[in-house]
Amino acid sequence: MTQIAVDAVLIPSQEMMEKAIEANRELLKQYPNKIILNKDNCLPHISLAMGCINQNHIPDIEIILHKITQNYRIGPLRAVGIRIETNSAGEKVSVLQIERTELLQSLHEQAMQELAAFFSHEVTADMILSDDAVSKSTLSWIKNYPEKSSYENFFPHITLGYGEAKIRNFPIKFTASKLALCHLGNNCTCSKVLAKAELTPIRMLSLSADIKIVQVNMPRAYSWFFPG
């Protein structure tokens, strides 16, 4: 039985992926060869549920992803700012903070509930898809995801990379293109898409649209807990 570490994620639209990759390219001038975002093996993403699975269960999980997409019509999302965290090694990591709407929170909770039967969190380095040495904080992030990063602690974001990103003109409206299950790489990157379900496009709403927001109370431990 082969166990691998995975992440159920929202993949943003092509336009938003390109914005994230562009910001990442600037960060790579500060920290070369760290997180190198691209559309092939290091996808910009919004994590919804993370854990370890038996590889044989991938087809079952793909069915669940399709079921979830039938229940949800993800409307417009908004990036509202840059959040700069510090990982356990004292390195700064920039993330694009995504507005936590009731719909996004509900989607996260359904993903956690539907995948709970398949997930464990006893992660080891050999479960990570990486040619480099796997950082301790990557393993800690996966192991403690249910306690530190889910439900009331859910913090939707797109990791941009190491260093201090500079993006202006917020908020940024965008959509999600698909729900995917990804094999996790070092720094909790999405290294390989294992299963996916396309999302039904919804017309973008104006910024004045009535979108309900859920208050985020970040745990004190979050900053030091960030993978890297």
Side-chain angles (χ1 to χ4, degrees):
M1 180 174 69
T2 302
Q3 294 280 319
I4 58 174
V6 298
D7 197 1
V9 305
L10 278 176
I11 302 295
S13 62
Q14 289 291 323
E15 181 181 4
M16 191 59 180
M17 282 205 291
E18 288 166 5
K19 287 181 181 294
I21 291 169
E22 180 181 357
N24 173 257
R25 292 298 174 266
E26 291 300 313
L27 291 175
L28 288 172
K29 296 175 183 178
Q30 304 174 44
Y31 287 89
N33 302 320
K34 278 286 190 174
I35 295 174
I36 306 175
L37 294 181
N38 59 65
K39 297 179 183 179
D40 298 318
N41 57 14
C42 194
L43 296 167
H45 65 277
I46 302 170
S47 295
L48 296 175
M50 194 178 293
C52 306
I53 64 165
N54 179 340
Q55 276 188 307
N56 294 335
H57 290 152
I58 292 173
D60 299 316
I61 293 174
E62 186 164 25
I63 291 172
I64 289 173
L65 297 184
H66 283 282
K67 172 186 172 183
I68 292 174
T69 59
Q70 290 171 4
N71 292 337
Y72 284 88
R73 294 293 180 268
I74 303 299
L77 301 170
R78 297 200 296 187
V80 294
I82 297 291
R83 190 181 184 99
I84 299 173
E85 301 292 345
T86 303
N87 68 11
S88 57
E91 298 168 313
K92 291 183 178 180
V93 181
S94 292
V95 304
L96 197 58
Q97 185 172 346
I98 308 304
E99 201 166 53
R100 190 169 83 160
T101 63
E102 285 188 349
L103 182 59
L104 191 54
Q105 178 70 27
S106 177
L107 176 62
H108 156 68
E109 292 184 10
Q110 183 174 2
M112 289 290 294
Q113 292 162 9
E114 295 280 358
L115 298 175
F118 299 96
F119 275 9
S120 74
H121 291 87
E122 297 304 314
V123 63
T124 55
D126 61 305
M127 299 179 189
I128 307 298
L129 184 60
S130 177
D131 294 328
D132 301 322
V134 177
S135 68
K136 291 182 180 179
S137 52
T138 295
L139 301 178
S140 294
W141 184 271
I142 299 165
K143 180 178 180 180
N144 295 286
Y145 188 89
E147 176 187 356
K148 299 288 187 179
S149 304
S150 66
Y151 294 98
E152 68 272 12
N153 292 327
F154 176 53
F155 174 58
H157 65 276
I158 298 172
T159 299
L160 297 175
Y162 284 81
E164 298 186 40
K166 293 177 174 61
I167 298 179
R168 296 177 177 83
N169 301 320
F170 289 103
I172 301 170
K173 294 188 295 181
F174 68 101
T175 58
S177 63
K178 60 179 68 71
L179 189 60
L181 182 75
C182 294
H183 195 166
L184 282 169
N186 200 22
N187 303 306
C188 293
T189 52
C190 280
S191 292
K192 182 180 180 180
V193 175
L194 304 171
K196 63 183 178 180
E198 300 294 328
L199 290 164
T200 301
I202 290 185
R203 179 178 57 86
M204 294 287 284
L205 303 178
S206 70
L207 286 175
S208 62
D210 182 18
I211 300 176
K212 294 184 179 180
I213 309 302
V214 178
Q215 181 65 38
V216 180
N217 296 312
M218 292 300 296
R220 290 181 179 272
Y222 186 84
S223 60
W224 68 260
F225 195 68
F226 204 89

